[in-house]
Structures are given as C-alpha cells and as structure tokens.
Amino acid sequence: MGNRFGIKSVDANFFPAIKRFMKLPSFRGLVGGKPNFAYFFVGMVENPLESKQKSLDRLIYLDPHLVRKQNATNCTSQPRSIHMSQLDPCMSFGFLIRSEKELAEFSEQLFEGIQQDKPYQIFHIVDDDADDLEGSKSIISFGTIYQ
C-alpha cells in the first residue's frame, strides 16, 4: 500500500500511525528510504513514553543494494537504522494476509487504527461508490479500502 506523508519530509504527526501499522501481526516490511536512498524497513526502536529523548524513534532497515555472501545465519552484527524524521515521504507498506479470517482481522485492526489516528490517518476507508473519503469498514485494494 503506497503512501505519501508530506512534500519534502514526513510530517511528524504521521509517526504514531506509521509505528502503529508496523506493529500489526501481518506487517512484513516498509519500502522507503531517505532522499536518493531506498531501504526495506523491518522493525523499529521505539522511544519509551516516559523518555524525553526523541532520538530513539528509529526504523531498522536492510539495504537491498548491499550484496553480501550468504552465511548460515544470514544476519548482520551491525543493524542499520535511521530516525523517522529522515524518511522520504513516499513509502509503501507490505502486509501478508493468508486467509479470509486474517483479512477480517486486518480490516478490523486497520479500521481501529484509522479511528485513533484522525486526522493524520495513513489509510482511508471509502464505500465502493463514495465520492469522498468517509465510509464504513470495507476491504483493502492498493492503499484504499473498498466495500
């Protein structure tokens, strides 16, 4: 599901919504980066609510352009991360949904997240024949949800 969260940088008001959807069980990754760099984000280091250090909200990424020899564990000893404020505003979320049950659960989680994130929701729900972006719980189709 592709999205744009600002003109030149991500509006910080979207950070809670981005983090919320990265926590869903069906989340598989976020394709994005920073200007002139593309990354695949697989997780995050979240700032504890009681902490005043805002620098802890970082996304952990893999660089798809970096080629390494395959090894038994296929991991790195130095995970890479960037602060959410460095993100390019264009990004795409990847979710894996394997059954109708998982689709129903995902739709419910998406709807709940949208309600919590207003007016900075990152997904919108619309009726099949709606002219605007207000609507009821529905089914997903490439970033927009249709009933």
Side-chain angles (χ1 to χ4, degrees), residues 22-34:
M22 288 181 75
K23 293 177 187 177
L24 292 181
S26 57
F27 175 78
R28 291 299 178 262
L30 178 65
V31 177
K34 57 185 184 178

Side-chain angles (χ1 to χ4, degrees), residues 26-88:
S26 57
F27 175 78
R28 291 299 178 262
L30 178 65
V31 177
K34 57 185 184 178
N36 300 313
F37 294 91
Y39 300 131
F40 182 66
F41 297 97
V42 295
M44 68 182 129
V45 177
E46 196 169 18
N47 185 20
L49 293 175
E50 63 276 358
S51 173
K52 295 188 183 203
Q53 294 180 340
K54 295 187 179 187
S55 64
L56 292 180
D57 279 334
R58 302 182 68 79
L59 299 184
I60 300 167
Y61 68 87
L62 302 173
D63 185 344
H65 307 98
L66 183 62
V67 179
R68 294 189 186 114
K69 285 189 174 188
Q70 183 178 359
N71 61 31
T73 59
N74 204 18
C75 63
T76 178
S77 60
Q78 296 180 336
R80 297 176 184 246
S81 69
I82 65 172
H83 189 269
M84 293 183 76
S85 64
Q86 294 176 285
L87 289 172
D88 185 88

Side-chain angles (χ1 to χ4, degrees), residues 87-100:
L87 289 172
D88 185 88
C90 292
M91 56 188 87
S92 295
F93 286 80
F95 300 96
L96 176 62
I97 299 169
R98 294 175 277 209
S99 67
E100 263 187 65

Side-chain angles (χ1 to χ4, degrees), residues 100-132:
E100 263 187 65
K101 180 183 178 206
E102 286 183 8
L103 178 60
E105 291 169 355
F106 177 71
S107 296
E108 186 63 33
Q109 293 163 341
L110 201 59
F111 181 77
E112 289 171 7
I114 290 168
Q115 297 305 312
Q116 292 175 27
D117 298 327
K118 282 186 178 180
Y120 295 99
Q121 68 265 32
I122 59 178
F123 300 110
H124 297 276
I125 296 177
V126 296
D127 285 326
D128 223 347
D129 54 352
D131 291 330
D132 59 29

